[in-house]
Amino acid sequence: MTNPHTPRARAGREPEPDQLRLLGKVARMYYERGIRQPQIAAELSLSQPRVSRLLRQATEVGIVRTVVTMPPGTYTELEDAIQERYGMRDVVVVDASGAGDAVLPALGAATADYLDVTLTGGHVIGVSSWSESLIAAVDVMRPKNITVVDKVVQIVGGLGDPAVQMQATRLTGRLADLTGGTPVFLSAPGLVGSPAIRKALMRDPSVKEVTELWSRLTVALVGIGSLEPSPLLQRSGNALAETEQEELRSLGAVGDVCFRYFDADGKSVSSNLDQRLIGITPRELMQIPRRIGVAGGSRKFSAIRAALRGGWVNVLITDLEMARRLVAED
């Protein structure tokens, strides 16, 4: 006598009607009525492993089809498109109204959420000093209950006008406090007056102690700048003079990461500025496994696109308008 609960489908053939009926019945009990597998097994006189196999088979033959419905405010298709186009490790797109600095609160909140999820322990984070996007992120970050970061290290000189320097210092200190790490400050300006001053400072033991940590970084958290400095950078005293901006523009520069400038294709642009900068080198930056760039606003499109093309960052957190432009234009 044939057991009605015994599937009779042969390998490579469609299930027969009685088997399809059983598959459908088990699938509806589990997915539509919310009955747990042990109860299904008891009601239908099946073993629990058999119920699990039937549910798997119901998916294989198309009785159960998984449909992912994304909630409003998520843009996974757009994120995937940018990730594929530019060879990114990850992309986060956030809806932000307005332009320019109006996107900062949304970028800050998205960055705080991303770090909350992805900082899982043992990290050594390098952070650029003069980024309003990063300051907005630490302003809304929630403290972690456990230590997830060993050190938070400045990768660009943090000294500047005393009226705004405290924001750059607070960025490093606050991020360390929130993640349980030890802050490591770079007690030098981002830009100095001459190559000779830079050489002297780079030999200073306190500066050298910081720069030697750059080879140990596992995460970089950076802004992406355009040639026109942000208001914070302008006030800091580390901004470029107009003549320096013109020189970089004549060399094809469109943006920077940590004061390291690049052209529209993301290739490094060498200038006299490099000899006056106290900060991480492009080579050191590129060796960091996860390089998180936080930037948005319409004026930064050329800089952000170039940074992606050149691999300066491999994780991007940006606004919806920017994301759409990155996909539409290349």
Side-chain angles (χ1 to χ4, degrees):
M1 181 175 180
T2 302
N3 186 332
H5 298 316
T6 302
R8 293 183 298 167
R10 298 175 184 174
R13 298 185 61 180
E14 289 293 320
E16 296 187 13
D18 63 336
Q19 184 184 13
L20 287 172
R21 181 196 62 78
L22 180 59
L23 292 173
K25 185 177 184 65
V26 170
R28 292 194 65 182
M29 292 175 73
Y30 185 73
Y31 290 105
E32 293 184 0
R33 295 168 58 189
I35 301 175
R36 301 182 67 178
Q37 291 187 32
Q39 187 177 346
I40 296 174
E43 290 188 17
L44 299 182
S45 300
L46 302 171
S47 68
Q48 189 173 334
R50 181 63 176 284
V51 171
S52 296
R53 288 195 297 272
L54 289 169
L55 288 171
R56 185 167 59 252
Q57 190 178 4
T59 301
E60 291 170 354
V61 301
I63 292 174
V64 175
R65 298 182 183 183
T66 302
V67 177
V68 178
T69 303
M70 297 304 299
T74 57
Y75 305 97
T76 53
E77 288 187 8
L78 197 53
E79 291 166 352
D80 290 346
I82 297 171
Q83 189 172 339
E84 182 177 354
R85 171 169 289 193
Y86 296 99
M88 303 293 289
R89 178 169 174 164
D90 202 359
V91 177
V92 177
V93 174
V94 59
D95 198 355
S97 301
D101 294 339
V103 305
L104 291 178
L107 290 179
T111 304
D113 288 343
Y114 179 82
L115 293 176
D116 183 60
V117 172
T118 61
L119 294 180
T120 55
H123 297 287
V124 181
I125 299 180
V127 61
S128 58
S129 308
W130 307 101
S131 171
E132 290 181 300
S133 299
L134 303 187
I135 291 172
V138 299
D139 281 344
V140 295
M141 276 185 70
R142 297 180 296 272
K144 302 289 283 185
N145 295 325
I146 59 173
T147 297
V148 294
V149 168
D150 291 340
K151 288 181 173 62
V152 178
V153 185
Q154 278 187 251
I155 54 178
V156 176
L159 297 183
D161 187 301
V164 292
Q165 179 189 322
M166 63 179 181
Q167 294 192 60
T169 304
R170 183 171 64 86
L171 169 58
T172 303
R174 178 66 175 155
L175 182 58
D177 184 52
L178 290 166
T179 57
T182 300
V184 181
F185 300 103
L186 181 55
S187 299
L191 287 173
V192 294
S194 70
I197 295 174
R198 177 188 178 275
K199 281 186 179 180
L201 284 172
M202 292 296 285
R203 288 195 299 264
D204 182 90
S206 64
V207 173
K208 197 171 181 180
E209 184 179 348
V210 180
T211 61
E212 287 176 349
L213 289 173
W214 292 345
S215 63
R216 293 176 47 197
L217 299 176
T218 60
V219 178
L221 188 59
V222 301
I224 300 172
S226 58
L227 281 185
E228 297 73 25
S230 69
L232 176 66
L233 188 58
Q234 190 74 56
R235 297 193 305 271
S236 74
N238 287 290
L240 302 183
E242 184 61 36
T243 55
E244 293 169 322
Q245 293 180 44
E246 286 301 323
E247 179 192 358
L248 286 165
R249 196 172 284 112
S250 70
L251 293 170
V254 299
D256 80 285
V257 170
C258 298
F259 286 118
R260 301 297 182 178
Y261 286 84
F262 42 77
D263 64 17
D265 293 321
K267 296 178 181 176
S268 291
V269 171
S270 298
S271 71
N272 295 328
L273 185 70
D274 295 323
Q275 304 306 314
R276 297 169 41 221
L277 174 63
I278 297 179
I280 196 167
T281 66
R283 182 178 179 181
E284 290 168 325
L285 179 66
M286 296 294 188
Q287 289 176 343
I288 301 172
R290 185 151 50 114
R291 306 180 297 280
I292 306 168
V294 184
S298 56
R299 72 181 179 89
K300 289 194 175 182
F301 170 70
S302 295
I304 293 172
R305 181 177 61 175
L308 302 191
R309 285 174 169 175
W312 292 83
V313 298
N314 56 15
V315 175
L316 176 67
I317 301 174
T318 194
D319 63 277
L320 179 58
E321 178 186 351
M322 179 63 65
R324 287 172 172 161
R325 288 189 67 184
L326 288 170
V327 169
E329 304 178 43
D330 188 45

